[in-house]
Structures are given as structure tokens and as C-alpha cells.
Amino acid sequence: MLASRRDGDVSLGLPSHLARPANSRALAAAARWAGLVCLAAAVVNVGSASLMHGTMASWVTLLVLIPMVVVLLALSRGRTVALTIAYLLVGTACTYFYVVALFLGTPSYRDTNLFVIALPVIAMTLVGGTGTGAPAGILWASLGFALAETAVILGAATASRAYVPDAVSLGAYLLLVGVLAYDGLTRGTRSRAQTALHRAVRDARLVDLRRERAAASAADLHDTVLSELLALAGSRPGPLDDRLARRIEADLRTLPGLPSGPPGAAGSPSERPAPADPWYDSELHHAIEAARDEGLAIDISGDRTSYARLGEDARRALGLAVRQCLVNVLRHSGSASAEVALSAGGGSVSVMVVDGGSGFPASAPAADRLGLRQSVQDRIARVGGSVDIYSSADIGTTVIMTIPVAPGAAVTKGAA
């Protein structure tokens, strides 16, 4: 059984489409090695008799089994129809000469009901087949048993001995057929159980994906609504400024489930010309400009082109996280200015947001600072990044967000 593990999942075993051929190969391999054991036992038995009596007939009996052993060894290394047929043909001939030589070399043997004769018959029965199912295995086992018994009958007739069916070889044949039949009858039940297990894992994964999507949507909604409410609270009484109205409408249209608007609508992509510098169309730049519109003076430093090294999801997450940081500066710090610094190195991109206002204990933010955890820390963590927060009442707050660089990304040096 193979173990499939992901986030603590239990071992589920092989899928049903792989279990059938795997079980068939295992049974066939076990049968072939059991056949080799039977032939080895026959060789030891005859070899012991040869050493004790020293007769030429005993050595001939030993030698006629060698071709059968060689072909079975080749079959154990690679299961093919041609090799199986060759083994059955060679095994039939070897079994015939083996029985004749055994009777001629041992006059005390009067019939075929002997364990030493049953050994090559069992080896022929346990050929294992080349198919991937119970019917094919039963067919090959039956063919091997029939050919071996035919060789025994002919060998007994040639040596003028009586043919008596032995219970050992017949029992081995019936046991193998029973195992193959049981495997074929119960395989459907195992497949249904495995299907149910895989369906349960799939459903659990869908629930996790829905939960992650809901968390991301909630974070987007939190950031957007908080930012727009802050912008409205800071605007002058009277009619809403056209620039602020267009920005709020464009931001709201980015929320999940809302239409992006017809071509030419306020904030729609068709209204905005494609910028020469991707920086000006990035989420991070929009976050900085939105905070500036709300009256926060922001100084940008560092290498802004390093931002392009991040993947699309990471750039969006970082932009929205910086936006929440700047909202927190406007809402909580009491500072009229902030600094956004970008840097890259060590396979990651870092963005630092610094303000000189009133800070807070970073280990235990106030209840009204839930956006720092939900919209900054959780959002950056979902794209594989980390957040470090340094804050105190006398020096302000510094938030450092670090995200791994997208594999294979290149960067063009330049300053903001």
C-alpha cells in the first residue's frame, strides 16, 4: 500500500485504477518464486539420491530440470507472453523426461503418487500468467497444470508405471485458483471503498479551498471598505470630489462578485492607457497614491523595480497589505507622513512601511487594529511571506513585509 500524505491526510492506499495491475503483478511474482522453490526442492531431492547411490540415471534426472529452471529465472525478471509460453513448452518436455529418468533410475517407484513428481507439476501450475486479472491467471494456471499432468501420464506410460493423481499437486492448483478467484470477486468491493475515500478527500479539499477563498475575499472587503470610509471621513462636506468618486468606484469594482463595468466606465481598464512603466499600474503604487489622496505625505525609497520580481498573486497581496498599513498610519498614528522602502536580496523582496507617530505594543495590538492581523499578516502569509512589526509609543511603527521571489524572475536595477 502506498501512503498519500498532504497536510496530515491519512494513508489511502493505491487508487482503484492502479490497485488491479499491482495486485496481479504481486500474485504472479509470488507464484513464480514459489515455482522456483519447488524446482530447487526437486533438484536437492534428486541430487541427494545421486550422491547416495551414485547412479547415472539419477544425474540425468537432475540435468533435465536445468532448462526449466533457466527459463523460469528469465520469466521472473520480465513477465511476457512469449516467455510464459516458452516456459510451458520447455516445462512440459522437462517434466516428461524428469518422470521417465526418475522411474528408470529408481525401480522402487511404482506409480506417480509421489511428492518428488508433484514438485515440477506445482512449478508448472504456479507459472503466474501474464494477464492482469483473475480470469487470465486462472487460465494460465489451468494450462500449466494440464500440460504438466499430461507429461506425467506420458512419462509413466513410457516407463511402464501406473498413473495415480497425487493430492499435493492437485491441492496446489486448487489453492492458486481459489486465491485468484477470491481476488477477482473482492476487487470490486475494494474499488468502491477506495472511491469513497478519494471522494471524501476531494470534498474536504474543496471545503478548504472555499474557506481560503472566503478568507481572502473578507480581507479584500475589509481593506477596501475601511480605506473608502476613511477617505470619505476625511473629505470636505458637500459634493464628493470627482477624482475621489472615480477612485472609490474603481476600488469597489475590484471586489469579488462585482462586475468590472462596461468599457469606458470609471476605473475600467479600457479607460486607463497602458503605462510605460509597470510600476505605475501596480497595486503597490495604487495604494501609495490612494493614501496621498487622503492627505498622507509618503516618501518612496529603494529599488522599486524589485517589486516586478514577485508573482501576480504576491504583488496583489503586497499592494493590499501596504494599503492597510498606510490606512493604519492615517487612522491611528497621528503622523502626517510615512516612508515606503523597497529592497531585494536573498531570493526575496521586502517592503518596509515606517511612520513616526504613536505606536503600540506589537505583541498585543488593540482590538481596533484587527486589520493589521487579517489584512497584513494573514494576507502575506497566504503567499508564503512573513511580517515583522516593530512599534513603540515614542518612535512610531515599522512594518517589514518579506515575500519570496517568483522562480526564474529577473530584475532590472533602478531606483524609485
Side-chain angles (χ1 to χ4, degrees):
M1 301 293 283
L2 296 180
S4 173
R5 301 186 62 85
R6 177 181 174 85
D7 298 333
D9 290 349
V10 297
S11 174
L12 298 178
L14 284 172
S16 57
H17 69 284
L18 298 177
R20 180 175 181 177
N23 288 340
S24 297
R25 286 193 296 268
L27 286 173
R32 288 194 297 272
W33 283 106
L36 283 172
V37 171
C38 291
L39 291 179
V43 169
V44 170
N45 189 297
V46 176
S48 300
S50 300
L51 292 176
M52 292 176 59
H53 301 92
T55 60
M56 182 60 66
S58 297
W59 289 108
V60 172
T61 305
L62 179 63
L63 292 175
V64 297
L65 290 176
I66 300 302
M68 191 175 178
V69 173
V70 171
V71 179
L72 185 54
L73 285 173
L75 184 61
S76 65
R77 295 176 61 87
R79 184 178 59 170
T80 64
V81 175
L83 272 177
T84 304
I85 294 175
Y87 173 72
L88 291 177
L89 295 177
V90 172
T92 301
C94 288
T95 301
Y96 169 76
F97 289 111
Y98 171 81
V99 172
V100 172
L102 190 64
F103 279 137
L104 294 178
T106 314
S108 59
Y109 293 161
R110 297 299 181 182
D111 56 53
T112 59
N113 189 15
L114 299 168
F115 179 72
V116 71
I117 291 181
L119 290 173
V121 177
I122 296 174
M124 286 279 289
T125 305
L126 296 176
V127 64
T130 59
T132 56
I138 293 174
L139 175 63
W140 285 109
S142 300
L143 184 58
F145 179 74
L147 290 174
E149 285 296 312
T150 301
V152 171
I153 294 173
L154 293 177
T158 302
S160 302
R161 299 295 195 275
Y163 170 75
V164 178
D166 67 280
V168 176
S169 59
L170 180 60
Y173 166 72
L174 294 178
L175 177 62
L176 179 60
V177 170
V179 170
L180 292 173
Y182 177 79
D183 177 67
L185 292 175
T186 59
R187 184 169 293 150
T189 303
R190 294 197 302 269
S191 298
R192 288 192 295 271
Q194 287 177 335
T195 300
L197 286 172
H198 287 287
R199 186 182 299 113
V201 173
R202 182 198 62 188
D203 293 342
R205 182 56 183 158
L206 287 176
V207 170
D208 291 340
L209 290 174
R210 292 191 186 101
R211 187 183 296 112
E212 293 172 4
R213 183 67 179 270
S217 299
D220 286 347
L221 182 63
H222 175 275
D223 288 356
T224 304
V225 172
L226 183 61
S227 177
E228 308 313 342
L229 288 176
L230 187 62
L232 290 174
S235 63
R236 297 178 180 178
L240 195 63
D241 180 73
D242 289 342
R243 181 180 178 184
L244 180 58
R246 288 195 301 270
R247 201 206 76 196
I248 291 176
E249 183 177 358
D251 288 346
L252 292 177
R253 291 186 184 279
T254 63
L255 293 175
L258 294 180
S260 59
S268 63
S270 60
E271 185 185 70
R272 301 190 302 267
D277 188 345
W279 161 260
Y280 292 104
D281 198 37
S282 66
E283 291 283 353
L284 182 56
H285 179 260
H286 293 334
I288 294 172
E289 291 303 313
R292 284 172 172 170
D293 289 344
E294 293 161 14
L296 185 65
I298 301 175
D299 181 27
I300 306 175
S301 62
D303 181 11
R304 73 183 185 191
T305 58
S306 62
Y307 181 71
R309 300 177 65 183
L310 298 174
E312 182 179 353
D313 292 340
R315 290 197 301 269
R316 173 174 170 77
L318 186 57
L320 293 176
V322 169
R323 179 172 183 170
Q324 182 60 42
C325 291
L326 296 177
V327 166
N328 285 343
V329 173
L330 284 165
R331 185 179 179 186
H332 301 290
S333 72
S335 174
S337 62
E339 179 182 358
V340 177
L342 295 89
S343 63
S348 63
V349 172
S350 297
V351 175
M352 181 170 61
V353 179
V354 183
D355 71 76
S358 58
F360 61 93
S363 59
D368 61 349
R369 293 181 185 269
L370 292 178
L372 189 61
R373 183 181 73 248
Q374 296 175 347
S375 297
V376 178
Q377 292 175 320
D378 291 353
R379 187 188 299 279
I380 296 300
R382 282 196 293 271
V383 293
S386 61
V387 178
D388 296 306
I389 303 174
Y390 306 93
S391 183
S392 64
D394 53 343
I395 63 173
T397 301
T398 298
V399 181
I400 303 176
M401 292 155 282
T402 304
I403 299 180
V405 173
V411 61
T412 303
K413 293 295 182 183

